[in-house]
Each structure stands twice: as structure tokens, then as C-alpha cells.
Amino acid sequence: MVSVQQWTGREASALRAALRMSTRAFAEHLGVALRTVAKWESLGSETHPRPDTQAILDTALSRADTATHARFEARLFPERKAARPADYETWTEDIERAVVCVSRQDFPFASTLLNRWLGSHDPHDLDDKGLYLYGRSLVLLGDVQRDQGAILGPLSARQSYLTARGMFSELDIPRRLAQIELSLAVVQEMSGQLDACARWYEQLAGDERLSRRDRARARLWIGTALSKEGNNAHATTVMAAATREFEELGEPEDWSVAHQKLALAHRGAGNLTQALHCIDIARTTGTVDSPMQRVRLDTAYGHILLSDAATRNDGLSVLDEAAQVARLYGLSHQLRSIEGIRKGQQG
């Protein structure tokens, strides 16, 4: 670790930046006057702290963690090539590969790609770039855990998202933070906390940190939570507004998914004709043919068919096929949904 023989304002300013502190916070951290820190910032190497302050700065540096030392050295010696703890280009490529694997529900290989990095690096030893990649890897691992139904507990989607949120908070990347909050709201919905997640979705639907598409998705999911609570009339109104927004944005897949969710809300409201109309649109317009989407579509379609005695057997057959695909790809949450629909019909 780098040490300082003689502190000047330049080294002191570099330490403040490495600690990611404001001038006021740094002054409080050291126990010196704010004007002293301001002097270091303005005069740089032309000013030398007093001997007692030199000792304070020595202590602050010695107590800093490894990542802070790395940032401190990088600021003092920008001409040196930073010793990277990982091959970031390869890590980035593995993240991109994992994204594709998650979209195809190839969870084992996605987990392998992500855990080879998460398991071999301590985030406290990473610089900002490494911390960013670590956070992205955690979010993707959370997506894997969520889609497999591991939503709560120490090895769950919620825990992965929370850890990633702390990293992006440290890096001060608002858009990533808001996206993680949206994922956490989904986990809350999956765990049955429908009223709380509906309120959270409503906040995120107006959150400027998110893209317009993500805000529309949050609005759609308000309707999902309302529909699950039995408030189907309000749900269809909210979902219809989100559907129109997806059309304006030119997002065909989101538009198709919105019709799938609208279909279930209409079924809940007892309007089977409109439910069948919406699910037909969803089944014929989807642009992503993934196992997850096939299971969701077939589950919704089977649920609607079960609601009419004349098509009940067809509905059971569709649900059987959906369950087989869900088992094949380890989609535990979808399997539980299918079982719940069956029990509801038996009851």
C-alpha cells in the first residue's frame, strides 16, 4: 500500500476523493476545520499541513480499506497502469452471455458464468469498474433466483438485489438503483405482499430515474397486483393505460405481455369474451419465444379456459403442457401458480 512521506494539499485532496467524501464530511472525519480542507483543495502541493495534522492524515490513510488505497494511488499516480483484480473485458463478456442465458432460462450455465466472478473476488478489493461489474452480476443472479422461485431468505433474489443496491448506491448510479427497486417490488409481489407492492409500483411509475418504458412496466404491474387482490375493474383501467403507452413507445413485446395480463384481469371480472380476445392477441403477437413466456401464456390461457365449463377439459390440457415445460426448466414459481389454479378449480 502507498504511504506518504510528506503530506501536501494534493495528497490530502486525493485521500478525500478516495474516501468518496465531501469537503465537509472529510473535515469532520479528520476533526479539522472546513476552511483547512478547502485550503488543501485550492492550493494543492503548494500548502503543507501542520505536523499534528500530518499525523492525523497518516492515521486516516492507515485505517482506509484496500479499495480506498487503490483509488488513492490511482489519483496520485495516474500514469501507472492500475493493477486490475480481474479481466474486466472477459467479465463483461460473461455478463452479456449470462443475460442471453437468463432470457432462455438456461439457469445452470448463467449461474456458472456469474459465480465464477462473484465467488473469486471480494467487492471491497475492487475499484469502481470492478464494483459496477460485481453489482451487475448480482442483479443477474437475483434474476436467476427470482425466476427459479427463490425469492426470500439468505440465498435468494431479494438478498442479491439488496446487496447490489448497496453497491450502486456507493457508486451513485440512480438509474441502476431505481431498476433494482423495481425488481425488489416484483419480489414483494411474488411473496404475496400485494398492497405494499402496488404502492411501491405506483411510486416507481412516476420515478424520473427510470426510463419511460420501465415506468410503463411499473404501471402495468400496479394492475397485476390489483387484479391478484380481486380489484379487477380498476386493474383493467390501469393496464389499458400502460398498454397504450407501450404502443406509443414501439415496444411490441411489452404490448403483447400487457394483453396477457389484461386477459387475466378481464377473466377475474367475469368478462370471458374480452379475456379470450386479449389472450388471443398475446398469443399471436409475442416476439420472444422463451420457455418462461410460453409457460406464462399457456398458464393464462388455461386459466381462462377453465373458467367456462364448456372448455374446462381444454384448459386442464393446456395447464398440463405448461407444467411440463415449467418442470423442465426449473420454473418453480410458475409451477406453484399452476398448482394454485388447479386447486382453485377443485375447490
Side-chain angles (χ1 to χ4, degrees):
M1 293 184 180
V2 67
S3 61
V4 178
Q5 299 301 316
Q6 178 71 28
W7 288 89
T8 70
R10 175 175 175 269
E11 288 79 21
S13 296
L15 179 58
R16 179 196 63 76
L19 287 166
R20 296 189 174 127
M21 291 182 177
S22 65
T23 54
R24 184 177 298 278
F26 190 50
E28 293 174 355
H29 181 66
L30 298 178
V32 302
L34 177 59
R35 63 178 178 274
T36 300
V37 177
K39 180 181 177 182
W40 297 338
E41 296 286 332
S42 62
L43 296 181
S45 57
E46 296 179 8
T47 183
H48 293 75
R50 297 196 311 264
D52 59 332
T53 308
Q54 295 263 343
I56 292 173
L57 288 163
D58 285 337
T59 300
L61 179 60
S62 68
R63 291 178 176 174
D65 60 25
T66 304
T68 300
H69 274 269
R71 292 192 292 268
F72 179 65
E73 184 173 1
R75 284 188 171 269
L76 286 182
F77 309 107
E79 69 280 1
R80 296 180 183 176
K81 185 177 180 181
R84 298 192 304 183
D87 183 345
Y88 291 158
E89 185 175 346
T90 303
W91 195 345
T92 301
E93 291 172 355
D94 278 352
I95 286 174
E96 292 170 354
R97 294 166 69 196
V99 169
V100 175
C101 289
V102 173
S103 71
R104 296 173 177 171
Q105 286 73 64
D106 185 357
F107 299 132
F109 190 45
S111 298
T112 297
L113 289 169
L114 298 169
N115 284 322
R116 70 171 53 162
W117 300 101
L118 294 173
S120 59
H121 296 290
D122 184 340
H124 297 95
D125 296 334
L126 297 172
D127 59 15
D128 286 358
K129 175 65 173 177
L131 200 62
Y132 176 82
L133 294 174
Y134 199 100
R136 281 205 64 197
S137 299
L138 272 176
V139 169
L140 279 171
L141 182 63
D143 292 346
V144 170
Q145 293 163 328
R146 179 199 63 203
D147 289 350
Q148 290 185 306
I151 55 176
L152 299 175
L155 299 176
S156 67
R158 183 176 183 275
Q159 188 58 45
S160 294
Y161 291 145
L162 288 173
T163 305
R165 184 172 68 174
M167 293 178 178
F168 287 119
S169 178
E170 182 179 345
L171 292 169
D172 192 21
I173 305 179
R175 183 176 65 90
R176 290 288 182 187
L177 283 170
Q179 288 173 335
I180 291 173
E181 288 174 22
L182 193 55
S183 294
L184 283 167
V186 171
V187 167
Q188 193 172 53
E189 179 190 335
M190 292 173 68
S191 66
Q193 301 176 57
L194 300 178
D195 187 57
C197 77
R199 291 196 301 270
W200 202 352
Y201 286 145
E202 189 169 5
Q203 292 174 4
L204 291 166
D207 195 324
E208 292 297 328
R209 295 176 301 170
L210 290 169
S211 67
R212 188 179 169 193
R213 179 198 176 206
D214 280 337
R215 294 199 301 273
R217 293 170 75 200
R219 191 168 295 111
L220 177 67
W221 295 339
I222 295 170
T224 303
L226 290 171
S227 181
K228 288 180 179 179
E229 284 191 308
N231 192 353
N232 291 289
H234 188 192
T236 54
T237 301
V238 174
M239 289 179 179
T243 305
R244 289 191 296 271
E245 190 159 6
F246 289 133
E247 185 170 8
E248 291 172 7
L249 290 169
E251 293 289 349
E253 187 59 30
D254 289 313
W255 184 81
S256 177
V257 169
H259 277 87
Q260 172 194 317
K261 294 183 179 297
L262 262 172
L264 289 173
H266 283 303
R267 188 213 68 84
N271 189 345
L272 294 184
T273 300
Q274 192 62 25
L276 285 169
H277 172 69
C278 288
I279 199 65
D280 283 344
I281 291 175
R283 296 177 72 214
T284 57
T285 62
T287 59
V288 176
D289 184 22
S290 69
M292 174 74 79
Q293 188 57 10
R294 289 203 302 274
V295 169
R296 286 173 173 168
L297 271 171
D298 285 348
T299 301
Y301 185 42
H303 198 178
I304 293 167
L305 292 176
L306 281 178
S307 302
D308 187 337
T311 56
R312 187 174 185 278
N313 289 336
D314 291 335
L316 290 171
S317 178
V318 171
L319 287 179
D320 284 342
E321 292 177 7
Q324 289 176 11
V325 177
R327 289 190 193 95
L328 180 62
Y329 287 92
L331 305 176
S332 301
H333 183 74
Q334 279 64 41
L335 267 177
R336 288 195 291 270
S337 295
I338 293 168
E339 291 168 2
I341 292 169
R342 288 180 178 281
K343 288 179 181 178
Q345 288 297 312
Q346 292 171 357

